[in-house]
Amino acid sequence: KELGEYYVYVIGSDSRLIRRTITPGIQSDLYAEVKEGLSAGDKVVLNPSNDLSNGLLVKEKNDE
C-alpha cells in the first residue's frame, strides 16, 4: 500500500515488472482476496523487496 493505493507487481510476458493497482477484499494472515486488478494466470511477485520498480527485468523462480 502506498499513498492509500494498493498495488502488486506482476511479471509481464517480456520478464519485466508491471506495477498493477488492485482493489483488495477480505484479508487474513495467509490470504488476501483481490476484487479487481488481476486476471487468471497473472504471475504475481509474492515477496517483493523495497527496491522493485516498474519495468525492472526479473528472472522467475520456480519452487518445484
Side-chain angles (χ1 to χ4, degrees):
K1 182 177 177 178
E2 184 176 83
L3 300 173
E5 183 176 87
Y6 289 88
Y7 67 92
V8 296
Y9 282 104
V10 296
I11 302 174
S13 60
D14 60 355
S15 296
R16 295 193 180 272
L17 293 181
I18 302 166
R19 181 175 159 154
R20 180 105 31 101
T21 302
I22 62 164
T23 302
I26 299 169
Q27 299 175 44
S28 72
D29 290 340
L30 298 175
Y31 300 99
E33 175 187 30
V34 177
K35 290 184 169 187
E36 294 179 5
L38 292 177
S39 299
D42 282 346
K43 296 178 182 179
V44 177
V45 177
L46 296 179
N47 296 304
S49 62
N50 290 331
D51 59 346
L52 296 183
S53 62
N54 204 33
L56 182 69
L57 184 63
V58 295
K59 183 176 180 183
E60 189 175 342
K61 178 182 176 184
N62 292 322
D63 287 333
E64 294 179 11

